[in-house]
Amino acid sequence: MKHKFLSFLVSALAYFLLGKFGLLLAIPPGFASAVWPAAGVALFLVIYFNRPAALLGIALGSFLLNVSIVASTLDELHLVHLYPPLFIACGALLQALVGGFLFTRFVSEGALPDSHQGVLRFLFIVAPIGCLIAAAIGVNSLRIAGIISDENLWFSMVTWWAGDTIGVLLFTPLMLALTAKQETVSTARKLQVSIPILLIFSTVIALFFRSLAIQQFAISKDIEENASRFVTQVSERLANARRML
């Protein structure tokens, strides 16, 4: 019982904190992230911990995360505002459940994928197919709630899916390598897996914030140019009015 409760608690806390970090990488309009580490760690949790307890923890962490997002945008929180976070939490739970099944079925029984066949199956089956679930449920729940428009539906869904898939591809192998026993995975092998993943993730973060800074600069420049044109037009009209008077 104590082991199950610990699995539940660690899973909820891990998903919540990694979700907070993932929100820093959110792409406008801000409902999906370029990389979602919580998805990769969620898959690791259902592989490594007691599965039912981990799934409940993932659902709770996702629910609390999205409730905190909703609460930060509202003056008063009502019951109806809890429906989207609840559906998103169900999507995170189902995605972790299906991802764990796919990993066990096509890769291995909780071990780091080491064979070429296992790696390819992880790349092309487990990560991309498993990550369709949360994106489909989450984005459609936000659309039904009127938070996402029909114009942004497919963009948000693809971004959500891509962020979850990248998170699984990077963080599930990383966590499996770091937690593997020494007799199963040597220290040298752990470093071979961990260092490239951390470098790739660092590069993605750097490129994301660089791109975001460029985009914000371009938006600011457009606003300044539009404001300048508006001021010029107003000045010309005032000058014409004075001449007429």
Side-chain angles (χ1 to χ4, degrees), residues 47-150:
I47 296 170
Y48 188 77
F49 285 135
N50 178 272
R51 183 162 294 188
L55 288 171
L56 291 176
I58 290 164
L60 178 62
S62 174
F63 179 74
L64 294 177
L65 172 67
N66 287 283
V67 167
S68 69
I69 297 171
V70 173
S72 66
T73 61
L74 299 171
D75 296 328
E76 189 174 354
L77 191 65
H78 297 287
L79 183 62
V80 68
H81 299 134
L82 300 180
Y83 291 144
L86 182 61
F87 283 115
I88 293 172
C90 291
L93 185 151
L94 289 174
Q95 178 167 291
L97 177 63
V98 172
F101 168 77
L102 292 175
F103 189 91
T104 303
R105 172 68 176 80
F106 292 103
V107 182
S108 67
E109 291 283 348
L112 180 69
D114 224 4
S115 65
H116 292 296
Q117 190 176 31
V119 170
L120 290 175
R121 287 178 176 179
F122 180 72
L123 286 173
F124 296 106
I125 297 177
V126 177
I129 295 177
C131 291
L132 290 170
I133 299 171
I137 295 176
V139 172
N140 278 288
S141 65
L142 293 174
R143 182 185 65 83
I144 293 172
I147 300 174
I148 289 180
S149 64
D150 291 337

Side-chain angles (χ1 to χ4, degrees), residues 6-20:
L6 182 62
S7 299
F8 168 77
L9 190 62
V10 170
S11 299
L13 189 61
Y15 198 97
F16 181 83
L17 294 177
L18 286 169
K20 284 289 188 183

Side-chain angles (χ1 to χ4, degrees), residues 71-220:
S72 66
T73 61
L74 299 171
D75 296 328
E76 189 174 354
L77 191 65
H78 297 287
L79 183 62
V80 68
H81 299 134
L82 300 180
Y83 291 144
L86 182 61
F87 283 115
I88 293 172
C90 291
L93 185 151
L94 289 174
Q95 178 167 291
L97 177 63
V98 172
F101 168 77
L102 292 175
F103 189 91
T104 303
R105 172 68 176 80
F106 292 103
V107 182
S108 67
E109 291 283 348
L112 180 69
D114 224 4
S115 65
H116 292 296
Q117 190 176 31
V119 170
L120 290 175
R121 287 178 176 179
F122 180 72
L123 286 173
F124 296 106
I125 297 177
V126 177
I129 295 177
C131 291
L132 290 170
I133 299 171
I137 295 176
V139 172
N140 278 288
S141 65
L142 293 174
R143 182 185 65 83
I144 293 172
I147 300 174
I148 289 180
S149 64
D150 291 337
E151 291 77 13
N152 289 323
L153 177 66
W154 285 106
F155 174 78
S156 298
M157 190 176 297
V158 170
T159 305
W160 193 313
W161 170 80
D164 280 14
T165 301
I166 295 173
V168 168
L169 291 174
L170 292 179
F171 284 89
T172 301
L174 175 64
M175 297 303 299
L176 287 173
L178 293 177
T179 56
K181 295 180 179 179
Q182 184 67 29
E183 55 269 21
T184 305
V185 181
S186 65
T187 302
R189 179 58 179 158
K190 290 182 179 182
L191 292 175
Q192 288 176 355
V193 174
S194 303
I195 292 176
I197 289 176
L198 293 174
L199 288 175
I200 292 171
F201 184 59
S202 301
T203 303
V204 169
I205 291 178
L207 291 174
F208 173 82
F209 283 112
R210 177 60 178 168
S211 175
L212 188 62
I214 293 173
Q215 185 180 18
Q216 290 176 341
F217 176 77
I219 292 173
S220 299

